Amino acid sequence: MPDDSAVCNCRRVMIRHFPAAHSPDCASTQRVGKGAMAALQSPIGSRRRLGAELRRLRVKAAMTLDEVAERMTCSTSKISRLETGKGIPKVPDVRELMRIYGVVSDTERDMLLRLVRDGREHGWWESYTEGVQPERFVLDSPSRYAALETEAVKVRSFELTLLNGLLQTTDYTRAVLTALLGSARGSQEIERLVELRRRRQQALSDPEQPLELAVVFDEGILQRVVGTHAVMAEQLDVVLERTELPNVTVQVLPLEAGLHRAHLGSFVILEFLEDMDSDVVHIEGHAGDTYLEVKSDVDRYKDVHTDVSARALDVVATRELIRRYQHEHTARARKARP
């Protein structure tokens, strides 16, 4: 990664968008308390905080994005990307923005420059995703989701075809990736992605601030055999264990509930600290991954999740149903043994 003291690269051209980080895979070993300013856990978190501060300063200075871009002699999209945490910050750029916004406080200047340095660090997940090429429709960008989830304090999801990655066993994950990626990837690369997903799950048992998880999934997931019946039996046993965690809520939408608007597709809502910018909705689709950040879009998905949660079985009935399917898969696995 270039040195953070590199010269300003502003220019009057549109900056190409490079996703900052994704992949339904992983978690941090620490999390910040609400409103805390220090010790952000990933470069994405630092960039989002820096962006929120730069936006606050611009609004305080009563300037538009176009006016700032003109003063900086660079594109409006560059300023926008810095404010949304999608651009990799450079010290000269932020120094110039501080000059334009009239920042004179040494404390504020030091804080902003620290966020710049932190925002240029490598994320912990990059050792797993380095060299992993995106696979359209399946593995759109193998870093962005992991980076965002690392900063999230709560994850809500509706799953239509597969269990949420935070609930998956390694064998289930391996079967999923093998089925979806097929011969396109070698076993070594798939194992790195399996390990990435396993690391992601550590967030659920963080001793200081565990990630809150609220999952609703369709009953069809319990019926669908991923890998083998033995894999499914072990997988459902692990789901039952995870439901015992106080920060994990799992509900099943039964088949008898009929068609619900959530059936339009699976989605994940990533929620952040109030001062860490907007929440994000992640959607996987045939055209690649989509990230929605506009408040009205996020609120719409939150409403869908709240509604489908109300239609789903309660946590007790959910455990009973999962246990029933677990017994069925166990029995079939025994019959399949030679």
Side-chain angles (χ1 to χ4, degrees):
M1 181 169 289
D3 184 81
D4 64 5
S5 62
V7 297
C8 172
N9 65 347
C10 299
R11 54 190 178 277
R12 288 185 179 277
V13 295
M14 294 298 291
I15 308 299
R16 181 183 175 188
H17 173 68
F18 290 97
H22 154 78
S23 165
D25 291 318
C26 231
S28 63
T29 56
Q30 286 181 291
R31 291 179 184 276
V32 291
K34 204 166 186 64
M37 185 61 229
L40 290 168
Q41 304 308 309
S42 83
I44 294 300
S46 297
R47 293 172 199 169
R48 286 169 64 88
R49 174 60 67 92
L50 175 64
E53 293 295 328
L54 292 176
R55 184 167 58 254
R56 177 185 62 81
L57 289 170
R58 178 176 59 79
V59 172
K60 182 179 178 181
M63 298 182 68
T64 66
L65 288 171
D66 289 338
E67 290 171 339
V68 175
E70 185 175 358
R71 293 279 297 275
M72 287 279 289
T73 64
C74 66
S75 67
T76 301
S77 65
K78 174 171 182 172
I79 306 302
S80 176
R81 282 169 51 77
L82 284 174
E83 290 191 2
T84 57
K86 295 176 182 176
I88 299 177
K90 293 180 179 291
V91 168
D93 293 346
V94 176
R95 287 189 185 279
E96 179 63 12
L97 287 171
M98 289 191 292
R99 185 191 67 79
I100 293 172
Y101 298 147
V103 177
V104 296
S105 167
D106 288 339
T107 299
E108 190 170 24
R109 291 171 62 86
D110 290 344
M111 178 269 291
L112 292 171
L113 292 176
R114 184 179 70 248
L115 290 175
V116 174
R117 290 191 293 271
D118 292 344
R120 295 181 62 81
E121 295 293 328
H122 286 287
W124 61 264
W125 57 87
E126 293 187 33
S127 62
Y128 297 95
T129 61
E130 184 177 2
V132 176
Q133 295 301 313
E135 183 79 19
R136 196 180 182 193
F137 313 145
V138 180
L139 194 66
D140 193 23
S141 175
S143 295
R144 187 176 184 185
Y145 184 93
L148 289 171
E149 188 182 75
T150 294
E151 295 303 321
V153 294
K154 182 174 182 178
V155 171
R156 290 196 273 170
S157 74
F158 173 73
E159 312 294 345
L160 188 57
T161 56
L162 297 168
L163 286 169
N164 185 283
L166 290 169
L167 300 174
Q168 294 180 11
T169 64
T170 55
D171 285 341
Y172 186 96
T173 298
R174 187 177 295 110
V176 168
L177 293 175
T178 300
L180 296 181
L181 298 178
S183 60
R185 304 303 170 92
S187 60
Q188 186 176 8
E189 188 168 308
I190 287 178
E191 288 306 312
R192 285 169 59 194
L193 295 173
V194 170
E195 177 62 16
L196 175 59
R197 190 160 299 188
R198 188 193 68 78
R199 279 285 311 276
R200 161 192 174 190
Q201 296 171 1
Q202 294 178 7
L204 296 177
S205 55
D206 189 307
E208 295 187 9
Q209 187 175 343
L211 177 66
E212 187 176 350
L213 176 66
V215 174
V216 180
F217 63 82
D218 191 79
E219 184 179 347
I221 289 177
L222 298 173
Q223 299 175 330
R224 182 174 296 105
V225 178
V226 175
T228 65
H229 285 291
V231 169
M232 290 300 300
E234 179 189 17
Q235 173 61 80
L236 297 187
D237 191 47
V238 168
V239 172
L240 289 171
E241 291 179 2
R242 298 277 164 84
T243 62
E244 296 177 358
L245 295 173
N247 53 304
V248 174
T249 301
V250 175
Q251 294 177 270
V252 172
L253 182 66
L255 297 177
E256 62 186 27
L259 188 65
H260 186 275
R261 57 178 175 159
H263 282 115
L264 286 173
S266 302
F267 61 88
V268 178
I269 305 169
L270 299 158
E271 300 184 10
F272 304 91
L273 295 174
E274 292 179 0
D275 55 357
M276 285 292 291
D277 205 3
S278 62
D279 297 335
V280 176
V281 174
H282 169 251
I283 306 168
E284 292 180 311
H286 290 295
D289 289 355
T290 300
Y291 292 88
L292 305 177
E293 300 182 59
V294 176
K295 187 177 185 302
S296 59
D297 292 335
V298 175
D299 287 345
R300 183 176 297 111
Y301 276 90
K302 286 182 177 180
D303 180 62
V304 171
H305 191 275
T306 297
D307 188 38
V308 76
S309 178
R311 300 281 190 90
L313 299 176
D314 62 31
V315 293
V316 175
T318 289
R319 285 179 59 84
E320 292 176 353
L321 184 61
I322 293 175
R323 188 174 291 109
R324 192 188 82 196
Y325 276 100
Q326 198 273 342
H327 292 330
E328 290 181 7
H329 286 296
T330 298
R332 293 190 180 188
R334 289 172 178 167
K335 289 182 179 180
R337 291 174 184 169

XYZ file of all heavy atoms in Angstrom, residues 30-91:
467
model
N -12.162 -7.402 19.002
C -12.545 -6.347 19.926
C -13.618 -5.487 19.289
O -13.722 -5.404 18.084
C -11.350 -5.434 20.241
C -10.317 -6.053 21.162
C -9.227 -5.036 21.411
O -8.448 -4.688 20.545
N -9.192 -4.531 22.610
N -14.409 -4.806 20.109
C -15.402 -3.881 19.576
C -15.428 -2.655 20.463
O -15.233 -2.740 21.658
C -16.781 -4.544 19.499
C -16.800 -5.617 18.447
C -18.132 -6.299 18.368
N -18.040 -7.375 17.412
C -18.182 -7.229 16.105
N -18.477 -6.065 15.608
N -18.059 -8.256 15.287
N -15.719 -1.514 19.835
C -15.705 -0.276 20.591
C -17.016 -0.091 21.322
O -18.060 -0.536 20.884
C -15.483 0.940 19.647
C -14.081 0.925 19.101
C -16.495 0.948 18.531
N -16.958 0.604 22.457
C -18.172 0.933 23.189
C -18.907 2.038 22.483
O -18.343 2.744 21.647
N -20.181 2.228 22.794
C -21.000 3.213 22.100
C -20.434 4.604 22.307
O -20.181 5.038 23.409
C -22.437 3.149 22.617
C -23.435 3.690 21.608
C -24.826 3.298 22.023
C -25.840 3.685 20.971
N -25.680 2.997 19.717
N -20.201 5.274 21.197
C -19.711 6.631 21.261
C -18.209 6.729 21.438
O -17.651 7.811 21.468
N -17.503 5.601 21.543
C -16.062 5.633 21.737
C -15.397 6.167 20.480
O -15.825 5.915 19.377
C -15.543 4.237 22.050
N -14.273 6.883 20.664
C -13.612 7.492 19.534
C -12.368 6.716 19.138
O -11.952 6.742 17.995
C -13.232 8.928 19.901
C -12.636 9.724 18.766
S -13.746 9.902 17.381
C -12.698 9.439 16.037
N -11.767 6.005 20.090
C -10.492 5.374 19.819
C -10.662 3.905 19.486
O -11.700 3.302 19.665
C -9.573 5.535 21.022
N -9.569 3.321 19.026
C -9.452 1.880 18.828
C -10.514 1.299 17.903
O -11.118 0.286 18.173
C -9.497 1.153 20.164
N -10.750 1.959 16.769
C -11.647 1.387 15.785
C -11.031 0.097 15.266
O -9.816 -0.038 15.193
C -11.871 2.385 14.640
C -12.690 3.601 15.053
C -12.612 4.650 13.975
C -14.124 3.219 15.314
N -11.853 -0.858 14.902
C -11.356 -2.203 14.710
C -10.926 -2.558 13.294
O -10.369 -3.610 13.082
C -12.431 -3.191 15.188
C -12.855 -2.956 16.622
C -11.667 -2.892 17.550
O -10.818 -3.760 17.539
N -11.597 -1.851 18.356
N -11.192 -1.745 12.311
C -10.759 -2.075 10.965
C -10.589 -0.790 10.174
O -11.099 0.260 10.555
C -11.801 -2.967 10.281
O -12.841 -2.184 9.743
N -9.840 -0.854 9.058
C -9.686 0.347 8.241
C -11.014 0.880 7.732
O -11.172 2.083 7.550
C -8.770 -0.118 7.096
C -8.859 -1.607 7.103
C -9.070 -1.979 8.533
N -11.985 -0.014 7.506
C -13.296 0.436 7.043
C -13.955 1.294 8.114
O -14.549 2.335 7.826
C -14.189 -0.765 6.696
C -13.608 -1.512 5.495
C -15.605 -0.303 6.377
C -13.503 -0.665 4.248
N -13.848 0.879 9.373
C -14.426 1.661 10.459
C -13.784 3.030 10.552
O -14.466 4.045 10.748
N -12.467 3.079 10.400
C -11.757 4.355 10.450
C -12.159 5.249 9.288
O -12.333 6.461 9.442
C -10.244 4.113 10.427
O -9.837 3.387 11.561
N -12.331 4.654 8.107
C -12.730 5.453 6.946
C -14.143 5.988 7.104
O -14.426 7.137 6.736
C -12.641 4.599 5.681
C -11.234 4.200 5.289
C -11.245 3.194 4.156
N -9.974 2.495 4.071
C -9.752 1.428 3.315
N -10.742 0.942 2.575
N -8.576 0.842 3.293
N -15.032 5.169 7.638
C -16.404 5.627 7.844
C -16.455 6.736 8.876
O -17.194 7.714 8.715
C -17.289 4.449 8.269
C -17.603 3.488 7.129
C -18.248 2.211 7.619
N -19.549 2.440 8.224
C -20.697 2.465 7.555
N -20.709 2.304 6.259
N -21.840 2.641 8.190
N -15.668 6.608 9.950
C -15.629 7.669 10.964
C -15.008 8.941 10.394
O -15.515 10.037 10.616
C -14.837 7.186 12.181
C -14.620 8.277 13.244
C -15.944 8.820 13.780
N -16.653 7.819 14.537
C -16.530 7.656 15.849
N -15.744 8.431 16.529
N -17.236 6.736 16.462
N -13.920 8.784 9.652
C -13.292 9.947 9.022
C -14.280 10.624 8.088
O -14.402 11.859 8.080
C -12.050 9.515 8.250
C -11.351 10.619 7.433
C -10.794 11.700 8.355
C -10.221 10.019 6.577
N -14.989 9.830 7.293
C -15.965 10.393 6.365
C -17.049 11.169 7.078
O -17.450 12.254 6.640
N -17.536 10.615 8.221
C -18.571 11.307 8.994
C -18.046 12.635 9.525
O -18.757 13.650 9.532
C -19.042 10.416 10.144
N -16.782 12.642 9.960
C -16.188 13.890 10.478
C -16.002 14.906 9.360
O -16.263 16.102 9.549
C -14.848 13.582 11.153
C -14.948 12.757 12.423
C -15.677 13.510 13.530
O -15.574 14.746 13.585
O -16.359 12.856 14.333
N -15.543 14.456 8.198
C -15.345 15.382 7.080
C -16.678 15.951 6.594
O -16.764 17.143 6.247
C -14.636 14.664 5.927
C -13.179 14.264 6.173
C -12.631 13.490 4.988
C -12.320 15.490 6.456
N -17.700 15.126 6.591
C -19.029 15.607 6.197
C -19.543 16.647 7.203
O -20.120 17.669 6.821
C -19.992 14.444 6.082
C -21.380 14.851 5.579
C -22.212 13.640 5.185
N -22.382 12.692 6.273
C -21.757 11.530 6.361
N -20.892 11.166 5.420
N -21.973 10.721 7.379
N -19.320 16.358 8.488
C -19.738 17.304 9.535
C -19.030 18.645 9.362
O -19.660 19.710 9.464
C -19.417 16.717 10.917
C -19.754 17.654 12.082
C -19.300 17.067 13.398
N -17.853 16.885 13.448
C -17.004 17.864 13.717
N -17.438 19.104 13.919
N -15.713 17.619 13.768
N -17.743 18.600 9.067
C -16.982 19.834 8.891
C -17.449 20.607 7.663
O -17.526 21.842 7.680
C -15.486 19.512 8.775
C -14.803 19.032 10.063
C -13.398 18.517 9.752
C -14.741 20.158 11.091
N -17.771 19.873 6.582
C -18.241 20.545 5.370
C -19.584 21.236 5.603
O -19.791 22.379 5.184
C -18.351 19.539 4.218
C -18.877 20.158 2.923
C -18.887 19.165 1.772
N -19.702 17.988 2.048
C -21.031 17.962 1.953
N -21.695 19.069 1.629
N -21.704 16.850 2.191
N -20.488 20.531 6.273
C -21.802 21.115 6.567
C -21.640 22.330 7.467
O -22.295 23.366 7.268
C -22.716 20.067 7.236
C -24.003 20.720 7.728
C -23.040 18.947 6.248
N -20.759 22.222 8.453
C -20.503 23.341 9.360
C -19.958 24.549 8.597
O -20.268 25.700 8.921
C -19.517 22.911 10.444
C -19.219 23.986 11.471
C -18.240 23.460 12.516
C -17.896 24.549 13.540
N -16.921 24.054 14.556
N -19.163 24.264 7.559
C -18.598 25.348 6.753
C -19.572 25.846 5.692
O -19.243 26.753 4.918
C -17.313 24.869 6.086
N -20.767 25.240 5.637
C -21.810 25.634 4.687
C -21.322 25.544 3.248
O -21.534 26.447 2.433
C -22.303 27.056 4.999
N -20.682 24.439 2.911
C -20.161 24.244 1.565
C -20.793 22.996 0.944
O -21.112 22.034 1.643
C -18.632 24.093 1.590
C -17.890 25.309 2.125
S -16.082 25.101 2.066
C -15.796 25.099 0.298
N -20.959 23.025 -0.377
C -21.470 21.866 -1.103
C -20.296 20.997 -1.556
O -19.141 21.436 -1.548
C -22.282 22.296 -2.331
O -21.386 22.937 -3.269
C -23.393 23.263 -1.940
N -20.613 19.786 -1.987
C -19.572 18.903 -2.504
C -18.881 19.522 -3.716
O -17.651 19.451 -3.851
C -20.183 17.548 -2.892
C -20.617 16.628 -1.755
C -21.389 15.428 -2.315
C -19.405 16.138 -0.967
N -19.663 20.139 -4.588
C -19.098 20.764 -5.788
C -18.148 21.896 -5.415
O -17.080 22.047 -6.032
C -20.205 21.301 -6.686
C -20.997 20.184 -7.358
O -20.449 19.074 -7.468
O -22.157 20.425 -7.746
N -18.511 22.689 -4.421
C -17.647 23.805 -4.011
C -16.332 23.307 -3.438
O -15.264 23.862 -3.721
C -18.386 24.666 -2.978
C -19.548 25.469 -3.554
C -20.387 26.139 -2.490
O -20.345 25.693 -1.316
O -21.096 27.114 -2.827
N -16.409 22.240 -2.639
C -15.187 21.682 -2.059
C -14.308 21.086 -3.150
O -13.083 21.291 -3.172
C -15.512 20.611 -1.004
C -14.235 19.949 -0.491
C -16.280 21.222 0.151
N -14.918 20.367 -4.086
C -14.162 19.759 -5.181
C -13.461 20.822 -6.017
O -12.315 20.639 -6.452
C -15.096 18.923 -6.054
N -14.145 21.942 -6.233
C -13.533 23.031 -7.005
C -12.330 23.607 -6.267
O -11.287 23.877 -6.877
C -14.567 24.125 -7.267
C -14.041 25.239 -8.159
C -15.112 26.253 -8.498
O -16.269 26.059 -8.066
O -14.787 27.239 -9.192
N -12.454 23.768 -4.945
C -11.331 24.270 -4.147
C -10.176 23.273 -4.130
O -9.004 23.666 -4.078
C -11.795 24.548 -2.711
C -12.798 25.691 -2.559
C -12.092 27.051 -2.552
N -11.205 27.183 -1.416
C -11.576 27.596 -0.199
N -12.860 27.912 0.017
N -10.710 27.724 0.775
N -10.531 21.988 -4.176
C -9.503 20.940 -4.139
C -8.960 20.611 -5.529
O -8.002 19.856 -5.662
C -10.114 19.665 -3.545
C -10.362 19.703 -2.055
S -8.878 19.371 -1.086
C -8.651 17.613 -1.391
N -9.577 21.190 -6.576
C -9.256 20.879 -7.978
C -9.272 19.371 -8.227
O -8.330 18.791 -8.777
C -7.898 21.474 -8.403
O -6.857 20.865 -7.640
C -7.881 22.986 -8.223
N -10.343 18.732 -7.771
C -10.514 17.302 -8.021
C -11.990 17.036 -8.284
O -12.802 17.959 -8.278
C -10.001 16.469 -6.840
S -10.941 16.685 -5.314
N -12.353 15.812 -8.519
C -13.730 15.484 -8.850
C -14.623 15.502 -7.610
O -14.174 15.239 -6.487
C -13.804 14.098 -9.495
O -13.456 13.092 -8.560
N -15.905 15.793 -7.839
C -16.886 15.754 -6.751
C -17.006 14.339 -6.193
O -17.186 14.147 -4.988
C -18.262 16.210 -7.275
O -18.159 17.538 -7.790
C -19.301 16.193 -6.149
N -16.863 13.339 -7.067
C -16.991 11.948 -6.623
C -15.905 11.585 -5.617
O -16.130 10.770 -4.719
C -16.935 10.992 -7.822
O -15.672 11.038 -8.451
N -14.729 12.190 -5.744
C -13.664 11.884 -4.796
C -14.033 12.367 -3.402
O -13.846 11.643 -2.406
C -12.352 12.533 -5.232
C -11.248 12.349 -4.189
C -9.903 12.787 -4.693
C -8.849 12.522 -3.634
N -7.486 12.754 -4.121
N -14.567 13.570 -3.299
C -14.974 14.099 -1.999
C -16.110 13.257 -1.435
O -16.141 12.942 -0.245
C -15.421 15.575 -2.122
C -14.316 16.416 -2.790
C -15.745 16.135 -0.743
C -12.989 16.381 -2.070
N -17.044 12.872 -2.302
C -18.166 12.041 -1.871
C -17.684 10.696 -1.348
O -18.165 10.193 -0.326
C -19.138 11.839 -3.032
O -20.187 10.964 -2.661
N -16.721 10.097 -2.049
C -16.204 8.796 -1.625
C -15.475 8.890 -0.295
O -15.553 7.979 0.536
C -15.290 8.221 -2.712
C -16.050 7.621 -3.875
C -15.138 7.308 -5.045
N -13.972 6.529 -4.651
C -13.995 5.226 -4.391
N -15.147 4.577 -4.447
N -12.907 4.576 -4.077
N -14.783 9.972 -0.060
C -14.129 10.158 1.238
C -15.165 10.280 2.346
O -15.009 9.724 3.434
C -13.239 11.400 1.209
C -11.895 11.276 0.473
C -11.201 12.632 0.408
C -11.000 10.248 1.162
N -16.252 10.989 2.071
C -17.284 11.201 3.088
C -18.095 9.942 3.361
O -18.660 9.799 4.445
C -18.219 12.343 2.668
C -17.554 13.703 2.711
C -18.557 14.843 2.545
O -19.775 14.557 2.429
O -18.120 16.003 2.534
N -18.165 9.037 2.406
C -18.909 7.790 2.618
C -18.005 6.645 3.049
O -18.470 5.515 3.233
C -19.656 7.377 1.331
O -18.713 7.258 0.254
C -20.726 8.398 0.976
N -16.717 6.928 3.216
C -15.791 5.899 3.682
C -15.380 4.912 2.621
O -14.805 3.871 2.931
N -15.641 5.217 1.360
C -15.324 4.287 0.279
C -13.979 4.575 -0.373
O -13.450 3.744 -1.092
C -16.432 4.317 -0.777
C -17.773 3.813 -0.252
C -18.855 3.955 -1.290
C -20.200 3.486 -0.743
N -21.302 3.700 -1.697
N -13.458 5.772 -0.127
C -12.167 6.110 -0.695
C -11.051 5.902 0.318
O -11.256 6.039 1.522
N -9.875 5.516 -0.161
C -8.721 5.364 0.730
C -8.122 6.743 0.952
O -7.648 7.386 0.015
C -7.681 4.418 0.121
C -8.293 3.027 -0.079
C -6.449 4.334 1.016
C -7.365 2.036 -0.736
N -8.140 7.240 2.187
C -7.711 8.620 2.451
C -6.204 8.808 2.343
O -5.419 7.892 2.596
C -8.191 8.849 3.893
C -8.135 7.491 4.518
C -8.554 6.532 3.418
N -5.808 10.001 1.948
C -4.398 10.390 1.902
C -4.196 11.603 2.802
O -5.054 12.488 2.872
C -3.970 10.726 0.466
C -3.962 9.539 -0.488
C -3.519 9.976 -1.872
C -3.483 8.784 -2.825
N -2.407 7.839 -2.473
N -3.069 11.624 3.473
C -2.775 12.717 4.406
C -2.833 14.081 3.720
O -3.460 15.018 4.246
C -1.402 12.503 5.080
C -0.962 13.765 5.814
C -1.481 11.333 6.063
